[in-house]
């Protein structure tokens, strides 16, 4: 019974954080789209958001969330 509650809790946490992540990504991509429309093809200097940067950041962030606990566990077992 305890294992079932743990798995259920993990699934609910995963779903809730992914829903939150979807809203953050929608906001970032909409900002990138509105900045691209505002520039009308001109090169704009400054803090412009590019969709490529959003995707790269998403993958880097997820990789860090996976790697940091694993590194911590390996260091703790030594």
């Amino acid at each position: 019974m305890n294992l079932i509650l743990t798995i259920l809790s993990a699934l609910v946490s995963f779903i809730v954080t992914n829903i939150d992540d979807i809203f953050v990504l929608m906001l970032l991509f909409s900002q990138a789209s509105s900045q691209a429309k505002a520039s009308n093809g001109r090169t704009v200097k400054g803090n412009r958001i590019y969709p490529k940067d959003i995707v790269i950041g998403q993958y880097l962030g997820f990789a860090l969330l996976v790697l940091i606990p694993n590194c911590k566990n390996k260091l703790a077992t030594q």
Side-chain angles (χ1 to χ4, degrees):
M1 185 66 177
N2 194 16
L3 179 63
I4 294 171
L5 288 176
T6 302
I7 292 172
L8 185 62
S9 175
L11 283 173
V12 168
S13 297
F14 180 75
I15 290 168
V16 169
T17 55
N18 276 335
I19 290 172
D20 178 49
D21 194 38
I22 288 170
F23 284 111
V24 171
L25 287 173
M26 281 193 315
L27 176 69
L28 288 171
F29 279 113
S30 69
Q31 287 291 323
S33 176
S34 65
Q35 287 178 355
K37 288 178 184 175
S39 68
N40 287 330
R42 294 174 290 154
T43 302
V44 178
K45 293 182 180 179
N47 295 330
R48 177 149 180 238
I49 301 172
Y50 294 96
K52 172 186 69 169
D53 296 333
I54 298 169
V55 172
I56 291 171
Q58 182 71 13
Y59 278 107
L60 285 175
F62 187 76
L64 284 175
L65 287 175
V66 170
L67 291 175
I68 289 174
N70 287 332
C71 292
K72 181 182 173 189
N73 289 340
K74 288 187 183 204
L75 289 174
T77 57
Q78 290 180 352

